Amino acid sequence: MTSSTLRRRVTMAATAVLAAACSSPEDVLSFDPLNFQEQTGIVFVRQNETPTAVMEALFEGRVIADAAGCLRFDSPDPATVVWPKGFTMVRSGNEMLVRDPAGRAIGRVGGTFRLGGGEVSSLEGAAMSAADQQRAATHCPGRYWIVGDVPQAS
């Protein structure tokens, strides 16, 4: 049995256990990057540390999954969204929702988001491990928007 076949079987078993454990209409998804992408087709890039400072520019617009599954701004020159530590993604029916650490839904994939943060050309110095920086750059190359906060609508 190849390692790829074994990984698929383990992933399918983990997905079955996860599905059985989720009794609510929303499924909380696993965030191991490879398993998450296999389960959903979406690459959810998230910081695994709390940054010491954040950028405060404002983005208002749609966030979509591109052909590679990367969550990017729906714009002529899209940047991959890098979510803060503690943010999660859940499946609710046919939609994928992004939630903040308090569990508040801040938007759905394909819908409009309002995000504070800023754009960078690489993840060097981001609040994530070097391995996660490399994984993100491999799966979702290009520019990045590092979310600093999620402003409330006025």
Side-chain angles (χ1 to χ4, degrees):
M1 177 179 312
T2 69
S3 63
S4 176
T5 302
L6 180 59
R7 186 172 64 216
R8 274 195 297 271
R9 287 185 180 175
V10 169
T11 299
M12 289 179 355
T15 302
V17 169
L18 180 64
C22 294
S23 59
S24 72
E26 288 189 346
D27 294 336
V28 177
L29 302 166
S30 165
F31 280 100
D32 170 63
L34 293 176
N35 289 341
F36 187 79
Q37 186 177 10
E38 288 177 13
Q39 289 178 40
T40 65
I42 293 175
V43 179
F44 189 81
V45 180
R46 177 177 65 187
Q47 298 180 84
N48 51 21
E49 300 170 16
T50 302
T52 55
V54 297
M55 294 177 274
E56 297 181 348
L58 179 64
F59 167 81
E60 291 182 285
R62 288 178 9 117
V63 173
I64 60 171
D66 69 7
C70 301
L71 294 180
R72 298 189 192 261
F73 292 156
D74 186 16
S75 68
D77 196 17
T80 297
V81 180
V82 179
W83 304 97
K85 179 181 178 180
F87 277 57
T88 58
M89 181 170 277
V90 297
R91 184 182 339 224
S92 181
N94 293 329
E95 296 183 325
M96 299 298 292
L97 303 175
V98 177
R99 293 196 177 275
D100 68 10
R104 179 177 60 109
I106 62 159
R108 67 174 176 76
V109 175
T112 301
F113 284 76
R114 182 177 161 96
L115 304 172
E119 187 176 308
V120 295
S121 59
S122 77
L123 292 172
E124 185 176 335
M128 53 198 319
S129 69
D132 285 344
Q133 289 176 26
Q134 181 59 44
R135 188 176 296 122
T138 299
H139 287 288
C140 303
R143 298 177 359 270
Y144 302 91
W145 178 274
I146 299 179
V147 177
D149 68 350
V150 181
Q152 297 294 314
S154 42

